[in-house]
Amino acid sequence: MGCADELLTPCGFTSVTPADPGRRGSQVTLRRPHARCLVAALAEHGVIADMRAPDLLPVGVHALHTSHRDPLTAASRPRALTRDPACDPAPPTAGPVPRGEPPLPAPGAGASVS
């Protein structure tokens, strides 16, 4: 939680996870506008991330799989992307559907089940 608070709060992230360790598990969930676009930008930089609509970024921390450096890296990568003017995590106002998200079929279109 300390890495997220110190590194990401100035970049528009807020924590929705209780600060009290006795009230939280091994997951920290952060809120950031345009989280879906940020996750796509992270993927382009080799970071596999998760998000929950509309704007939540869960980060799981498990002692068997996580080093002390991993939480710092997990906070540093999104911070760098949100500070880089070349990376705008805001969604486009118009244009094609982003890669990885196929358009929904029109109502009534699609395979029928017999």
Side-chain angles (χ1 to χ4, degrees):
M1 290 280 302
C3 285
D5 288 341
E6 186 173 329
L7 296 176
L8 297 175
T9 299
C11 299
F13 291 82
T14 56
S15 176
V16 297
T17 303
D20 176 9
R23 296 190 54 223
R24 68 172 186 259
S26 64
Q27 179 172 301
V28 173
T29 301
L30 304 171
R31 174 169 277 137
R32 175 85 166 52
H34 315 302
R36 182 179 304 271
C37 293
L38 180 61
V39 167
L42 286 165
E44 289 177 9
H45 288 80
V47 178
I48 299 170
D50 190 15
M51 68 88 48
R52 299 287 183 258
D55 60 359
L56 298 176
L57 299 158
V59 180
V61 180
H62 191 284
L64 293 177
H65 306 287
T66 306
S67 71
H68 290 285
R69 185 174 190 81
D70 290 337
L72 178 59
T73 301
S76 297
R77 297 254 171 99
R79 179 178 188 241
L81 282 173
T82 57
R83 296 177 127 200
D84 181 356
C87 176
D88 182 6
T93 55
V97 174
R99 288 181 292 143
E101 296 182 27
L104 295 174
S112 61
V113 178
S114 312

